[in-house]
Amino acid sequence: MKFKSKLIVSFSKVYFKKITALNSPIIKIFLTLLCTFLCKPSLAQYNCPTDIQENMTRLDKYYKEGKIDSVYIEVNRTLSKKISVFSQQIMYYELGYYYSLKGNKNEALSAYKKSVQLTNNETDSEEFMQVTTSDIANLFFTHKQYDSVVVYLKKIVDNLSPKLHKRYCDVHSMLGFCYYQQNKIEPSLKEYNLALEVANEYDHCLKPIIINKLARVYGSQKQVKKAEDVIWESVHTLEAECNNIELKINCLKALIEVYRENELFRKAFETKLVVDSLVEKLNVDERNKTLDLAEIKFNTKLKDQENESLKKANSDKDEIVSQQKKGLIIMISAILVFSLLSVVLIIFLRQRNKLNKELAKQKTEIEQINNDLQRFNLLNQKIFSVISHDFKSPIQTLSIMLKNEEISSTENTVLKNYINDLSDQISQSNELLENLLSWAKTELNISPLVLEPVLLNELLEKLKKEFEKKLQEKDLQLMITGDKNIFITKPREVLLILLRNGLSNAIKFSPASRKILINLNHVTCTITDFGSGIPENLKAQILKGKVYPHFGTNLESGFGMGLYLCSELALKHKIILSVENNSSSTGVTFSLKF
């Protein structure tokens, strides 16, 4: 993995950050952007995992364009996806790098440490960990926390190979500088000498950078002679091998600082004169380069202008030909478009005429169907009117007659039992007929339903009186609890049907001498009995409309349709009806939620 360049760049960022400590905002902005564009390594510098290649390409683009905030968005978007551990390690490094550019030290450290924690035993991951650790050291170095710099550099220094001479020299030079700042002279000299040995072996042009720092250490210890020797050795190396005037100037400036520190002002002045002459020479070289570049740029501009003139002449000729071609193409296109529109218009008119005929035919059929439906609806209304008057009245008359004391008080036991059974069956039939007629009226809109506020307690008291005889026959105690002043805005007839069915079932399936509890609150009404309950499979089938005739605890007969009809009626009027067995495994709770 090619992390060598990346690690070198990470150390170079330190010097950008130190310079940005200057007071000039313009210099700070310029150097920050320069650090972004020049110091950030590109995707090509290392082998990127396949699952984040596109993301890293976008990050590289954002860095080059200076869109730093887009980097943060892209990194977080990538981390939110499912990616490999090594990819996460890279992304957290990028997040730390973003925070470091923003000057947010704590967030940068947090992200860098997460990246280090994701290190595994693979070679690529280990090398990337070294890059991240060096950036952590850079952060502490920028804030002059040299103890922390030493701690983090020690984590990677033992694994550095001298063959990677640039990385090796950078790390040992930084350690030497930190030891020097901590006034640990021996360790500082040791680190600088280690870096110097590798530079002597692999790259002599690295020596001046190391020697400048080493000379400062000698100077602080009053070893001016040693400082002079290493500085002039560095200068001779630069003259013989590297041809780098800027580094030579820096070496002599370091020697000036040593002289001043040791109060050798004459030597410092003499050396300053040499530096000034070198600076003047460098400035002359720079001016010459600038003039050469300006001349080249001027000649290039002249040639570009000539080429532009020729291009413009050719372009004018091409424009004339192009305009002629465009005119011909527009004319042909207009003819084709007109022809096509004519064909489309003819097809559209034919289709519209055909559609109008079909719509007229369908309208006639719909009108006929509506007439038939109205006729059938009137017929249904007549049928139910006949049932409600000509069939319901005899049943009620027969029921009243059977309850007459003269008939019910007969001394013939067999006849008396038959009369009682017949009276019960007629009552059940009359109740079923009442429910069916009420349900049919709501479904067929035979009689309009009025939405009005209804006092639930009033309806329940009415039903309590209606079922008073049945309650007495079984010695049942009906208790109404909760808020008795609740008004529900629903049709009165619908509420009566639902509550009558729930209370009727509770009485029918309650053993003698038990309680029936009715509870009211602002959204629900529950009717709870303590009978045998309903088997789950039978309850589901009843609610689906399958009729199962069954008997109550006193052998009261029933058709099994009431609960189904009530569920349909409740659904139509947006009332939630539920029937659940009690948790105590005895009885059922009939619930209406409005």
Side-chain angles (χ1 to χ4, degrees), residues 449-460:
L449 296 175
V450 180
L451 281 174
E452 59 179 344
V454 179
L455 184 62
L456 277 183
N457 188 58
E458 180 184 330
L459 294 184
L460 291 170

Side-chain angles (χ1 to χ4, degrees), residues 2 215 253 323 486 526 590:
K2 300 178 181 178
K253 284 182 177 180
Q323 291 293 336
I486 294 174
T526 59
F590 175 90

Side-chain angles (χ1 to χ4, degrees), residues 2 24 26 88 91 156 247 294 392 439 558 561 576 594:
K2 300 178 181 178
S24 172
I26 297 174
Q88 293 179 41
M91 283 297 108
I156 61 173
L247 283 177
K392 182 181 176 183
W439 175 78
M561 291 182 62
I576 301 174
F594 306 104

Side-chain angles (χ1 to χ4, degrees), residues 328-340:
L328 183 61
I329 291 171
I330 290 171
M331 186 181 297
I332 295 172
S333 300
I335 294 170
L336 290 175
V337 169
F338 179 77
S339 302
L340 182 61

Side-chain angles (χ1 to χ4, degrees), residues 134-191:
S134 68
D135 270 24
I136 295 174
N138 288 341
L139 274 177
F140 287 118
F141 188 88
T142 305
H143 293 82
K144 298 182 180 181
Q145 295 176 330
Y146 301 117
D147 292 341
S148 298
V149 175
V150 171
V151 170
Y152 279 94
L153 288 183
K154 279 186 175 182
K155 292 181 180 181
I156 61 173
V157 71
D158 293 335
N159 296 323
L160 291 176
S161 170
K163 292 181 179 179
L164 305 175
H165 52 275
K166 183 66 175 72
R167 186 193 303 183
Y168 187 93
C169 291
D170 282 340
V171 171
H172 283 283
S173 294
M174 183 174 282
L175 271 174
F177 183 82
C178 292
Y179 284 136
Y180 170 67
Q181 293 295 326
Q182 296 171 334
N183 203 25
K184 297 178 180 179
I185 303 304
E186 290 300 324
S188 176
L189 291 173
K190 179 182 176 182
E191 295 297 332

